[in-house]
PDB file of all heavy atoms in Angstrom:
ATOM      1  N   VAL A 169     142.402 153.096  60.994  1.00 95.00           N
ATOM      2  CA  VAL A 169     142.328 154.519  60.678  1.00 95.00           C
ATOM      3  C   VAL A 169     142.890 155.331  61.841  1.00 95.00           C
ATOM      4  O   VAL A 169     142.599 155.029  63.005  1.00 95.00           O
ATOM      5  CB  VAL A 169     140.869 154.963  60.434  1.00 95.00           C
ATOM      6  CG1 VAL A 169     140.827 156.435  60.029  1.00 95.00           C
ATOM      7  CG2 VAL A 169     140.206 154.099  59.378  1.00 95.00           C
ATOM      8  N   HIS A 170     143.689 156.335  61.533  1.00 94.00           N
ATOM      9  CA  HIS A 170     144.066 157.308  62.548  1.00 94.00           C
ATOM     10  C   HIS A 170     143.210 158.553  62.315  1.00 94.00           C
ATOM     11  O   HIS A 170     143.056 158.996  61.174  1.00 94.00           O
ATOM     12  CB  HIS A 170     145.554 157.676  62.445  1.00 94.00           C
ATOM     13  CG  HIS A 170     146.058 158.432  63.639  1.00 94.00           C
ATOM     14  ND1 HIS A 170     145.726 159.755  63.868  1.00 94.00           N
ATOM     15  CD2 HIS A 170     146.845 158.061  64.686  1.00 94.00           C
ATOM     16  CE1 HIS A 170     146.288 160.159  64.994  1.00 94.00           C
ATOM     17  NE2 HIS A 170     146.977 159.152  65.510  1.00 94.00           N
ATOM     18  N   PRO A 171     142.608 159.124  63.368  1.00 94.00           N
ATOM     19  CA  PRO A 171     141.722 160.290  63.188  1.00 94.00           C
ATOM     20  C   PRO A 171     142.363 161.428  62.415  1.00 94.00           C
ATOM     21  O   PRO A 171     141.682 162.198  61.739  1.00 94.00           O
ATOM     22  CB  PRO A 171     141.410 160.708  64.631  1.00 94.00           C
ATOM     23  CG  PRO A 171     141.594 159.471  65.429  1.00 94.00           C
ATOM     24  CD  PRO A 171     142.711 158.716  64.773  1.00 94.00           C
ATOM     25  N   GLN A 172     143.691 161.543  62.516  1.00 93.00           N
ATOM     26  CA  GLN A 172     144.396 162.628  61.851  1.00 93.00           C
ATOM     27  C   GLN A 172     144.283 162.528  60.330  1.00 93.00           C
ATOM     28  O   GLN A 172     144.384 163.531  59.633  1.00 93.00           O
ATOM     29  CB  GLN A 172     145.866 162.602  62.279  1.00 93.00           C
ATOM     30  CG  GLN A 172     146.654 163.837  61.912  1.00 93.00           C
ATOM     31  CD  GLN A 172     147.953 163.941  62.685  1.00 93.00           C
ATOM     32  OE1 GLN A 172     148.054 163.489  63.818  1.00 93.00           O
ATOM     33  NE2 GLN A 172     148.963 164.535  62.084  1.00 93.00           N
ATOM     34  N   PHE A 173     144.050 161.324  59.824  1.00 93.00           N
ATOM     35  CA  PHE A 173     144.019 161.126  58.375  1.00 93.00           C
ATOM     36  C   PHE A 173     142.638 160.676  57.894  1.00 93.00           C
ATOM     37  O   PHE A 173     142.503 159.986  56.896  1.00 93.00           O
ATOM     38  CB  PHE A 173     145.090 160.112  57.977  1.00 93.00           C
ATOM     39  CG  PHE A 173     146.452 160.452  58.524  1.00 93.00           C
ATOM     40  CD1 PHE A 173     147.081 159.627  59.449  1.00 93.00           C
ATOM     41  CD2 PHE A 173     147.087 161.629  58.152  1.00 93.00           C
ATOM     42  CE1 PHE A 173     148.320 159.950  59.980  1.00 93.00           C
ATOM     43  CE2 PHE A 173     148.330 161.974  58.678  1.00 93.00           C
ATOM     44  CZ  PHE A 173     148.944 161.131  59.590  1.00 93.00           C
ATOM     45  N   TRP A 174     141.616 161.075  58.620  1.00 94.00           N
ATOM     46  CA  TRP A 174     140.241 160.711  58.272  1.00 94.00           C
ATOM     47  C   TRP A 174     139.817 161.425  56.987  1.00 94.00           C
ATOM     48  O   TRP A 174     140.176 162.583  56.757  1.00 94.00           O
ATOM     49  CB  TRP A 174     139.309 161.121  59.412  1.00 94.00           C
ATOM     50  CG  TRP A 174     137.975 160.430  59.380  1.00 94.00           C
ATOM     51  CD1 TRP A 174     136.933 160.714  58.549  1.00 94.00           C
ATOM     52  CD2 TRP A 174     137.552 159.359  60.208  1.00 94.00           C
ATOM     53  NE1 TRP A 174     135.887 159.879  58.810  1.00 94.00           N
ATOM     54  CE2 TRP A 174     136.226 159.031  59.832  1.00 94.00           C
ATOM     55  CE3 TRP A 174     138.153 158.637  61.239  1.00 94.00           C
ATOM     56  CZ2 TRP A 174     135.492 158.026  60.451  1.00 94.00           C
ATOM     57  CZ3 TRP A 174     137.424 157.648  61.862  1.00 94.00           C
ATOM     58  CH2 TRP A 174     136.120 157.334  61.467  1.00 94.00           C
ATOM     59  N   ASP A 175     139.057 160.723  56.155  1.00 91.00           N
ATOM     60  CA  ASP A 175     138.478 161.372  54.979  1.00 91.00           C
ATOM     61  C   ASP A 175     137.043 160.902  54.789  1.00 91.00           C
ATOM     62  O   ASP A 175     136.557 159.995  55.477  1.00 91.00           O
ATOM     63  CB  ASP A 175     139.325 161.130  53.722  1.00 91.00           C
ATOM     64  CG  ASP A 175     139.390 159.670  53.317  1.00 91.00           C
ATOM     65  OD1 ASP A 175     138.340 159.004  53.257  1.00 91.00           O
ATOM     66  OD2 ASP A 175     140.510 159.173  53.046  1.00 91.00           O
ATOM     67  N   GLU A 176     136.367 161.514  53.823  1.00 87.00           N
ATOM     68  CA  GLU A 176     134.937 161.268  53.642  1.00 87.00           C
ATOM     69  C   GLU A 176     134.622 159.865  53.131  1.00 87.00           C
ATOM     70  O   GLU A 176     133.456 159.435  53.132  1.00 87.00           O
ATOM     71  CB  GLU A 176     134.343 162.309  52.680  1.00 87.00           C
ATOM     72  CG  GLU A 176     134.879 162.270  51.265  1.00 87.00           C
ATOM     73  CD  GLU A 176     136.180 163.038  51.097  1.00 87.00           C
ATOM     74  OE1 GLU A 176     136.707 163.542  52.113  1.00 87.00           O
ATOM     75  OE2 GLU A 176     136.673 163.125  49.948  1.00 87.00           O
ATOM     76  N   ASN A 177     135.633 159.121  52.687  1.00 92.00           N
ATOM     77  CA  ASN A 177     135.396 157.768  52.172  1.00 92.00           C
ATOM     78  C   ASN A 177     135.317 156.715  53.275  1.00 92.00           C
ATOM     79  O   ASN A 177     134.951 155.566  53.016  1.00 92.00           O
ATOM     80  CB  ASN A 177     136.507 157.380  51.187  1.00 92.00           C
ATOM     81  CG  ASN A 177     136.541 158.295  49.979  1.00 92.00           C
ATOM     82  OD1 ASN A 177     135.496 158.644  49.431  1.00 92.00           O
ATOM     83  ND2 ASN A 177     137.725 158.709  49.564  1.00 92.00           N
ATOM     84  N   ILE A 178     135.656 157.081  54.490  1.00 95.00           N
ATOM     85  CA  ILE A 178     135.640 156.120  55.599  1.00 95.00           C
ATOM     86  C   ILE A 178     134.207 155.901  56.070  1.00 95.00           C
ATOM     87  O   ILE A 178     133.491 156.859  56.388  1.00 95.00           O
ATOM     88  CB  ILE A 178     136.524 156.607  56.755  1.00 95.00           C
ATOM     89  CG1 ILE A 178     137.985 156.696  56.290  1.00 95.00           C
ATOM     90  CG2 ILE A 178     136.403 155.693  57.966  1.00 95.00           C
ATOM     91  CD1 ILE A 178     138.908 157.360  57.264  1.00 95.00           C
ATOM     92  N   ASP A 179     133.787 154.662  56.109  1.00 96.00           N
ATOM     93  CA  ASP A 179     132.420 154.308  56.470  1.00 96.00           C
ATOM     94  C   ASP A 179     132.421 153.394  57.698  1.00 96.00           C
ATOM     95  O   ASP A 179     132.965 152.294  57.653  1.00 96.00           O
ATOM     96  CB  ASP A 179     131.735 153.613  55.285  1.00 96.00           C
ATOM     97  CG  ASP A 179     130.291 153.227  55.587  1.00 96.00           C
ATOM     98  OD1 ASP A 179     129.726 153.761  56.567  1.00 96.00           O
ATOM     99  OD2 ASP A 179     129.737 152.387  54.848  1.00 96.00           O
ATOM    100  N   TYR A 180     131.817 153.844  58.780  1.00 97.00           N
ATOM    101  CA  TYR A 180     131.764 153.055  60.011  1.00 97.00           C
ATOM    102  C   TYR A 180     130.340 152.592  60.336  1.00 97.00           C
ATOM    103  O   TYR A 180     130.101 151.958  61.361  1.00 97.00           O
ATOM    104  CB  TYR A 180     132.328 153.854  61.182  1.00 97.00           C
ATOM    105  CG  TYR A 180     131.646 155.185  61.411  1.00 97.00           C
ATOM    106  CD1 TYR A 180     130.511 155.276  62.210  1.00 97.00           C
ATOM    107  CD2 TYR A 180     132.132 156.342  60.817  1.00 97.00           C
ATOM    108  CE1 TYR A 180     129.879 156.489  62.414  1.00 97.00           C
ATOM    109  CE2 TYR A 180     131.507 157.558  61.028  1.00 97.00           C
ATOM    110  CZ  TYR A 180     130.383 157.635  61.824  1.00 97.00           C
ATOM    111  OH  TYR A 180     129.763 158.840  62.017  1.00 97.00           O
ATOM    112  N   ASN A 181     129.396 152.915  59.484  1.00 96.00           N
ATOM    113  CA  ASN A 181     128.002 152.547  59.722  1.00 96.00           C
ATOM    114  C   ASN A 181     127.836 151.030  59.820  1.00 96.00           C
ATOM    115  O   ASN A 181     128.338 150.283  58.975  1.00 96.00           O
ATOM    116  CB  ASN A 181     127.105 153.089  58.610  1.00 96.00           C
ATOM    117  CG  ASN A 181     127.044 154.607  58.601  1.00 96.00           C
ATOM    118  OD1 ASN A 181     127.076 155.230  59.648  1.00 96.00           O
ATOM    119  ND2 ASN A 181     126.970 155.193  57.418  1.00 96.00           N
ATOM    120  N   ASN A 182     127.137 150.606  60.863  1.00 97.00           N
ATOM    121  CA  ASN A 182     126.834 149.183  61.088  1.00 97.00           C
ATOM    122  C   ASN A 182     128.081 148.318  61.253  1.00 97.00           C
ATOM    123  O   ASN A 182     128.017 147.107  61.050  1.00 97.00           O
ATOM    124  CB  ASN A 182     125.954 148.633  59.954  1.00 97.00           C
ATOM    125  CG  ASN A 182     124.630 149.373  59.858  1.00 97.00           C
ATOM    126  OD1 ASN A 182     123.966 149.586  60.871  1.00 97.00           O
ATOM    127  ND2 ASN A 182     124.260 149.769  58.650  1.00 97.00           N
ATOM    128  N   LYS A 183     129.200 148.932  61.628  1.00 97.00           N
ATOM    129  CA  LYS A 183     130.435 148.171  61.835  1.00 97.00           C
ATOM    130  C   LYS A 183     130.772 148.109  63.321  1.00 97.00           C
ATOM    131  O   LYS A 183     130.326 148.943  64.118  1.00 97.00           O
ATOM    132  CB  LYS A 183     131.591 148.813  61.065  1.00 97.00           C
ATOM    133  CG  LYS A 183     131.469 148.696  59.554  1.00 97.00           C
ATOM    134  CD  LYS A 183     132.694 149.290  58.868  1.00 97.00           C
ATOM    135  CE  LYS A 183     132.593 149.145  57.346  1.00 97.00           C
ATOM    136  NZ  LYS A 183     133.778 149.725  56.659  1.00 97.00           N
ATOM    137  N   ARG A 184     131.565 147.107  63.656  1.00 97.00           N
ATOM    138  CA  ARG A 184     132.085 146.985  65.017  1.00 97.00           C
ATOM    139  C   ARG A 184     133.405 147.766  65.068  1.00 97.00           C
ATOM    140  O   ARG A 184     134.371 147.404  64.401  1.00 97.00           O
ATOM    141  CB  ARG A 184     132.309 145.520  65.367  1.00 97.00           C
ATOM    142  CG  ARG A 184     131.037 144.674  65.366  1.00 97.00           C
ATOM    143  CD  ARG A 184     131.365 143.202  65.427  1.00 97.00           C
ATOM    144  NE  ARG A 184     132.139 142.780  64.254  1.00 97.00           N
ATOM    145  CZ  ARG A 184     132.649 141.552  64.101  1.00 97.00           C
ATOM    146  NH1 ARG A 184     132.478 140.633  65.036  1.00 97.00           N
ATOM    147  NH2 ARG A 184     133.345 141.258  63.014  1.00 97.00           N
ATOM    148  N   VAL A 185     133.395 148.842  65.846  1.00 98.00           N
ATOM    149  CA  VAL A 185     134.521 149.780  65.854  1.00 98.00           C
ATOM    150  C   VAL A 185     135.191 149.789  67.229  1.00 98.00           C
ATOM    151  O   VAL A 185     134.523 149.912  68.258  1.00 98.00           O
ATOM    152  CB  VAL A 185     134.061 151.210  65.501  1.00 98.00           C
ATOM    153  CG1 VAL A 185     135.260 152.151  65.440  1.00 98.00           C
ATOM    154  CG2 VAL A 185     133.287 151.230  64.193  1.00 98.00           C
ATOM    155  N   VAL A 186     136.520 149.680  67.223  1.00 97.00           N
ATOM    156  CA  VAL A 186     137.298 149.818  68.457  1.00 97.00           C
ATOM    157  C   VAL A 186     138.120 151.106  68.351  1.00 97.00           C
ATOM    158  O   VAL A 186     138.887 151.286  67.401  1.00 97.00           O
ATOM    159  CB  VAL A 186     138.238 148.623  68.684  1.00 97.00           C
ATOM    160  CG1 VAL A 186     139.087 148.852  69.933  1.00 97.00           C
ATOM    161  CG2 VAL A 186     137.438 147.335  68.829  1.00 97.00           C
ATOM    162  N   VAL A 187     137.939 151.985  69.319  1.00 97.00           N
ATOM    163  CA  VAL A 187     138.728 153.222  69.392  1.00 97.00           C
ATOM    164  C   VAL A 187     139.801 153.010  70.450  1.00 97.00           C
ATOM    165  O   VAL A 187     139.501 152.842  71.641  1.00 97.00           O
ATOM    166  CB  VAL A 187     137.855 154.431  69.756  1.00 97.00           C
ATOM    167  CG1 VAL A 187     138.719 155.698  69.846  1.00 97.00           C
ATOM    168  CG2 VAL A 187     136.736 154.618  68.739  1.00 97.00           C
ATOM    169  N   ILE A 188     141.064 152.992  70.031  1.00 96.00           N
ATOM    170  CA  ILE A 188     142.166 152.824  70.975  1.00 96.00           C
ATOM    171  C   ILE A 188     142.617 154.199  71.439  1.00 96.00           C
ATOM    172  O   ILE A 188     143.092 155.019  70.649  1.00 96.00           O
ATOM    173  CB  ILE A 188     143.343 152.071  70.332  1.00 96.00           C
ATOM    174  CG1 ILE A 188     142.897 150.672  69.865  1.00 96.00           C
ATOM    175  CG2 ILE A 188     144.505 151.944  71.310  1.00 96.00           C
ATOM    176  CD1 ILE A 188     143.980 149.906  69.129  1.00 96.00           C
ATOM    177  N   GLY A 189     142.466 154.469  72.730  1.00 93.00           N
ATOM    178  CA  GLY A 189     142.845 155.766  73.268  1.00 93.00           C
ATOM    179  C   GLY A 189     141.766 156.316  74.180  1.00 93.00           C
ATOM    180  O   GLY A 189     140.607 155.878  74.140  1.00 93.00           O
ATOM    181  N   SER A 190     142.147 157.294  74.996  1.00 91.00           N
ATOM    182  CA  SER A 190     141.190 157.871  75.951  1.00 91.00           C
ATOM    183  C   SER A 190     141.374 159.377  76.092  1.00 91.00           C
ATOM    184  O   SER A 190     140.944 159.966  77.080  1.00 91.00           O
ATOM    185  CB  SER A 190     141.346 157.204  77.314  1.00 91.00           C
ATOM    186  OG  SER A 190     142.670 157.378  77.811  1.00 91.00           O
ATOM    187  N   GLY A 191     142.006 159.997  75.112  1.00 90.00           N
ATOM    188  CA  GLY A 191     142.229 161.438  75.154  1.00 90.00           C
ATOM    189  C   GLY A 191     141.075 162.209  74.545  1.00 90.00           C
ATOM    190  O   GLY A 191     139.993 161.671  74.281  1.00 90.00           O
ATOM    191  N   ALA A 192     141.312 163.493  74.273  1.00 92.00           N
ATOM    192  CA  ALA A 192     140.258 164.373  73.784  1.00 92.00           C
ATOM    193  C   ALA A 192     139.647 163.884  72.474  1.00 92.00           C
ATOM    194  O   ALA A 192     138.436 164.005  72.258  1.00 92.00           O
ATOM    195  CB  ALA A 192     140.825 165.784  73.607  1.00 92.00           C
ATOM    196  N   THR A 193     140.476 163.314  71.591  1.00 94.00           N
ATOM    197  CA  THR A 193     139.950 162.837  70.315  1.00 94.00           C
ATOM    198  C   THR A 193     138.991 161.674  70.519  1.00 94.00           C
ATOM    199  O   THR A 193     137.909 161.630  69.924  1.00 94.00           O
ATOM    200  CB  THR A 193     141.102 162.413  69.386  1.00 94.00           C
ATOM    201  OG1 THR A 193     141.995 163.517  69.210  1.00 94.00           O
ATOM    202  CG2 THR A 193     140.569 161.979  68.034  1.00 94.00           C
ATOM    203  N   ALA A 194     139.367 160.726  71.353  1.00 95.00           N
ATOM    204  CA  ALA A 194     138.493 159.578  71.635  1.00 95.00           C
ATOM    205  C   ALA A 194     137.197 160.030  72.291  1.00 95.00           C
ATOM    206  O   ALA A 194     136.111 159.544  71.950  1.00 95.00           O
ATOM    207  CB  ALA A 194     139.220 158.582  72.522  1.00 95.00           C
ATOM    208  N   ILE A 195     137.294 160.985  73.214  1.00 96.00           N
ATOM    209  CA  ILE A 195     136.109 161.483  73.916  1.00 96.00           C
ATOM    210  C   ILE A 195     135.139 162.125  72.926  1.00 96.00           C
ATOM    211  O   ILE A 195     133.919 162.045  73.079  1.00 96.00           O
ATOM    212  CB  ILE A 195     136.511 162.513  75.005  1.00 96.00           C
ATOM    213  CG1 ILE A 195     137.518 161.915  75.983  1.00 96.00           C
ATOM    214  CG2 ILE A 195     135.290 163.046  75.728  1.00 96.00           C
ATOM    215  CD1 ILE A 195     137.099 160.622  76.618  1.00 96.00           C
ATOM    216  N   THR A 196     135.667 162.749  71.896  1.00 96.00           N
ATOM    217  CA  THR A 196     134.842 163.371  70.868  1.00 96.00           C
ATOM    218  C   THR A 196     134.259 162.332  69.910  1.00 96.00           C
ATOM    219  O   THR A 196     133.101 162.430  69.490  1.00 96.00           O
ATOM    220  CB  THR A 196     135.676 164.394  70.068  1.00 96.00           C
ATOM    221  OG1 THR A 196     136.255 165.331  70.970  1.00 96.00           O
ATOM    222  CG2 THR A 196     134.820 165.135  69.065  1.00 96.00           C
ATOM    223  N   LEU A 197     135.075 161.356  69.556  1.00 96.00           N
ATOM    224  CA  LEU A 197     134.667 160.338  68.590  1.00 96.00           C
ATOM    225  C   LEU A 197     133.537 159.437  69.091  1.00 96.00           C
ATOM    226  O   LEU A 197     132.596 159.122  68.332  1.00 96.00           O
ATOM    227  CB  LEU A 197     135.862 159.458  68.226  1.00 96.00           C
ATOM    228  CG  LEU A 197     136.740 159.870  67.054  1.00 96.00           C
ATOM    229  CD1 LEU A 197     138.026 159.053  67.061  1.00 96.00           C
ATOM    230  CD2 LEU A 197     135.998 159.672  65.729  1.00 96.00           C
ATOM    231  N   ILE A 198     133.625 158.986  70.325  1.00 97.00           N
ATOM    232  CA  ILE A 198     132.715 157.959  70.837  1.00 97.00           C
ATOM    233  C   ILE A 198     131.239 158.304  70.620  1.00 97.00           C
ATOM    234  O   ILE A 198     130.489 157.514  70.036  1.00 97.00           O
ATOM    235  CB  ILE A 198     133.005 157.657  72.324  1.00 97.00           C
ATOM    236  CG1 ILE A 198     134.417 157.087  72.497  1.00 97.00           C
ATOM    237  CG2 ILE A 198     131.957 156.715  72.893  1.00 97.00           C
ATOM    238  CD1 ILE A 198     134.679 155.801  71.749  1.00 97.00           C
TER     239      ILE A 198
END
Side-chain angles (χ1 to χ4, degrees):
V169 183
H170 193 287
Q172 193 164 329
F173 308 115
W174 198 284
D175 64 48
E176 64 276 4
N177 298 318
I178 297 171
D179 181 17
Y180 56 87
N181 294 325
N182 300 313
K183 291 183 179 180
R184 297 168 298 175
V185 183
V186 177
V187 179
I188 300 176
S190 59
T193 303
I195 304 306
T196 305
L197 270 167
I198 297 300

